[in-house]
Amino acid sequence: GLQILRERFRGEVNNDQVSNSTISVVTKLASSAHLEGDQAASQQHIRGLRSMVDIRGGLNCINNKSMIHEIQR
């Protein structure tokens, strides 16, 4: 799964490539890594998540309130 994400986001990335489901999956990966004590992996996922949210135009551009709550946790 991670390899697919890496390939998807190589080079230029546009808003259409960053779906709500992709953001949700990366949020869950970051949370899972954190809970398992893998801080390096958690931080890597969070950096990717920040990049995806920035590409989408920030938290204000995400319409799913439950996803925004999960990202902000």
Side-chain angles (χ1 to χ4, degrees):
L2 290 176
Q3 184 64 30
I4 293 169
L5 284 174
R6 284 186 189 116
E7 289 175 12
R8 174 183 264 185
F9 293 115
R10 284 195 180 130
E12 289 286 319
V13 179
N14 62 46
N15 190 20
D16 295 334
Q17 291 173 287
V18 183
S19 67
N20 285 350
S21 60
T22 301
I23 291 173
S24 182
V25 166
V26 175
T27 300
K28 302 280 189 251
L29 288 170
S31 178
S32 177
H34 176 75
L35 291 173
E36 291 175 5
D38 189 347
Q39 297 305 311
S42 178
Q43 289 301 312
Q44 184 176 5
H45 294 313
I46 289 170
R47 282 191 300 273
L49 180 61
R50 283 184 183 139
S51 295
M52 288 187 280
V53 171
D54 287 345
I55 289 166
R56 290 280 297 269
L59 288 176
N60 292 333
C61 292
I62 298 176
N63 297 327
N64 186 323
K65 291 184 189 263
S66 63
M67 185 185 317
I68 291 172
H69 177 72
E70 184 68 24
I71 290 169
Q72 292 175 330
R73 289 179 40 182

